[in-house]
Amino acid sequence: MVTLRRPPQYERPGPKLEPYQVILRPLITEKATQVAERHNAYTFEVHQMATKTEIKEAVETLFNVQVEDVRTQNRKSVTRRYRLKIGRTKNWKKAIVKLKDDYRIDFF
């Protein structure tokens, strides 16, 4: 019998994340709403240590939907100026979650 998923080579360091700790907030922007309408894909800000499988499981449990694909981006910090002070924004991770055709998420 052939197994489709291989076991992980190593365990991820750090604590085991709960679904509500993996997904921090949905990103509601103009581009994100267009992607949601056209491609049935929703964007979220997620925990830095979260993997694609953890993101998939978290979305499925929190929103009761079926996930088809997960794409992630690590967004780097940017230097910003406010009056005479120079600071940096934080690094964060963005996940674009594509759902199966029968499922939708309503944020409003």
Side-chain angles (χ1 to χ4, degrees):
M1 185 165 125
V2 176
T3 58
L4 297 178
R5 186 172 177 207
R6 63 178 176 81
Q9 293 179 350
Y10 59 91
E11 289 296 319
R12 179 177 61 80
K16 174 78 172 113
L17 298 173
E18 296 295 322
Y20 60 87
Q21 292 174 322
V22 173
I23 296 183
L24 302 179
R25 67 185 178 102
L27 296 175
I28 309 296
T29 60
E30 189 172 342
K31 184 174 182 178
T33 54
Q34 287 178 355
V35 170
E37 291 171 357
R38 291 184 186 166
H39 304 291
N40 198 20
Y42 299 90
T43 58
F44 298 97
E45 181 180 349
V46 295
H47 194 274
Q48 282 275 336
M49 298 287 289
T51 62
K52 289 185 178 187
T53 53
E54 289 175 342
I55 294 168
K56 178 180 178 180
E57 291 169 1
V59 170
E60 287 179 348
T61 57
L62 292 175
F63 297 105
N64 197 18
V65 294
Q66 295 243 335
V67 175
E68 184 177 322
D69 186 32
V70 177
R71 292 172 287 164
T72 59
Q73 298 175 1
N74 285 316
R75 308 299 293 177
K76 299 296 181 190
S77 63
V78 179
T79 303
R80 297 282 188 213
R81 256 186 65 196
Y82 179 72
R83 296 191 180 179
L84 298 176
K85 295 181 181 178
I86 294 177
R88 296 186 71 82
T89 60
K90 63 176 186 159
N91 294 337
W92 57 287
K93 192 171 194 176
K94 176 180 178 179
I96 302 169
V97 178
K98 183 171 182 174
L99 303 181
K100 294 193 177 176
D101 292 334
D102 301 338
Y103 297 95
R104 298 269 185 256
I105 296 176
D106 293 328
F107 291 124
F108 305 111

